[in-house]
Amino acid sequence: MAAVFLVLGVTMILCITENDDFLTILFETTSAFGTIGMSMGLTSHLTTFGKILLSLVMFAGRVGPLIVAFALSWDRKKKHFRSSEGKIIIG
């Protein structure tokens, strides 16, 4: 759900700052979040702010789902290790 809000929010910001069609900007933002490498040629015509914004969306799309998956799978109550016990002879 957060991904949808991120993509739509960035799309709205880019619609305000850039002079292009809504569907083209939405496609570029969705493609950036999914890191699929497809483009309609808009990225090269964006302002510096737009390029930085799309770069942040790419980073969020690459790292975000991975962090969520690790956070949901990590069990904090279980110990996956145990301390070793024994007598150590020194000297």
Side-chain angles (χ1 to χ4, degrees):
M1 199 67 187
V4 173
F5 288 125
L6 175 70
V7 169
L8 289 178
V10 169
T11 301
M12 291 303 153
I13 292 171
L14 288 176
C15 281
I16 294 169
T17 61
E18 309 296 328
N19 294 326
D20 216 318
D21 185 32
F22 172 76
L23 289 178
T24 306
I25 293 174
L26 179 64
F27 182 83
E28 292 287 332
T29 308
T30 307
S31 174
F33 183 78
T35 59
I36 55 174
M38 295 184 71
S39 177
M40 294 182 76
L42 175 67
T43 308
S44 60
H45 301 292
L46 291 176
T47 61
T48 304
F49 175 72
K51 289 178 184 177
I52 291 172
L53 200 58
L54 275 185
S55 297
L56 292 174
V57 170
M58 286 180 201
F59 184 74
R62 184 70 172 171
V63 177
L66 197 63
I67 289 175
V68 171
F70 280 130
L72 292 177
S73 68
W74 186 37
D75 189 12
R76 295 185 182 125
K77 295 177 184 175
K78 255 187 187 178
K79 286 187 179 179
H80 297 286
F81 61 91
R82 61 184 179 99
S83 300
S84 61
E85 297 177 11
K87 289 191 172 198
I88 300 175
I89 301 172
I90 300 176

